Amino acid sequence: MALIGLLITARCRPRRQGDPSFPVPAPDWEVALGIVIGRRTSYLDSVEEAKDAIAGYCVVNDVSERAFQLERGGQWSKGKSAETFNPAGPWLVTPDEIPDVNDLGMWLDVNGVRRQTGTTKTMVFDPYVVVHHLSQFMVLEPGDLINTGTPPGVGMGFTPPIWLQPGDVMELGIERLGSRRQHVLGAR
């Protein structure tokens, strides 16, 4: 895993005029808690054991290309796999530095407007449940990064939806884990 510095750019594919086979781009933001695995882990016997498998936590922007997810069917992972998506960091915070990972404030602004406010307290599954569950189906390796959920306020949820555009600036953070500023650029 690579933790990326305080300034990161997300590249968004430009609109293709006159090409009906290519969906109109719809890049979206998602502040999320990142879980970093610290040791090789599989088939954990209990949720409690998952605590020892976690090296730490970081801020993640789970950037999503909604057009790929909504208009091309199938798994949602293809909308999260573009180059420069999922910037993480600015640093790894170890579990001993966080009194309660299940009670951290989260926020994200786009161009100075607050779009997401929430807390890890409202996540459907806490980090230990997530790690335990995934360990039942795959081997987790040191450095693996797992994204958790996001608070309300993603661009897809607005009417009409709000998508990221080149020139936009996102600022996001999680209490005790740091904050970051990210610039949106056009695709290369």
Side-chain angles (χ1 to χ4, degrees), residues 50 56 91 157:
W91 47 74

Side-chain angles (χ1 to χ4, degrees), residues 1-8 31-32 34 36 57-61 86-93 107 172-182:
M1 182 190 99
L3 293 178
I4 302 169
L6 293 172
L7 180 64
I8 186 70
V31 63
V36 180
Y57 303 94
C58 61
V59 178
V60 174
N61 189 349
N86 204 50
W91 47 74
L92 176 74
V93 179
W107 58 272
L172 62 150
I174 299 178
E175 180 182 1
R176 305 187 79 83
L177 303 183
S179 62
R180 52 186 315 141
R181 180 180 177 95
Q182 301 167 343

Side-chain angles (χ1 to χ4, degrees), residues 41-98:
T41 302
S42 63
Y43 300 108
L44 294 173
D45 290 326
S46 69
V47 170
E48 193 63 31
E49 280 185 80
K51 291 181 180 181
D52 294 331
I54 297 172
Y57 303 94
C58 61
V59 178
V60 174
N61 189 349
D62 195 4
V63 177
S64 301
E65 176 48 70
R66 302 295 187 200
F68 290 174
Q69 293 174 329
L70 300 172
E71 298 174 26
R72 292 188 175 184
Q75 291 291 323
W76 281 54
S77 59
K78 66 184 165 300
K80 298 180 178 286
S81 303
E83 180 184 25
T84 75
F85 281 21
N86 204 50
W91 47 74
L92 176 74
V93 179
T94 57
D96 63 307
E97 298 177 86
I98 304 169

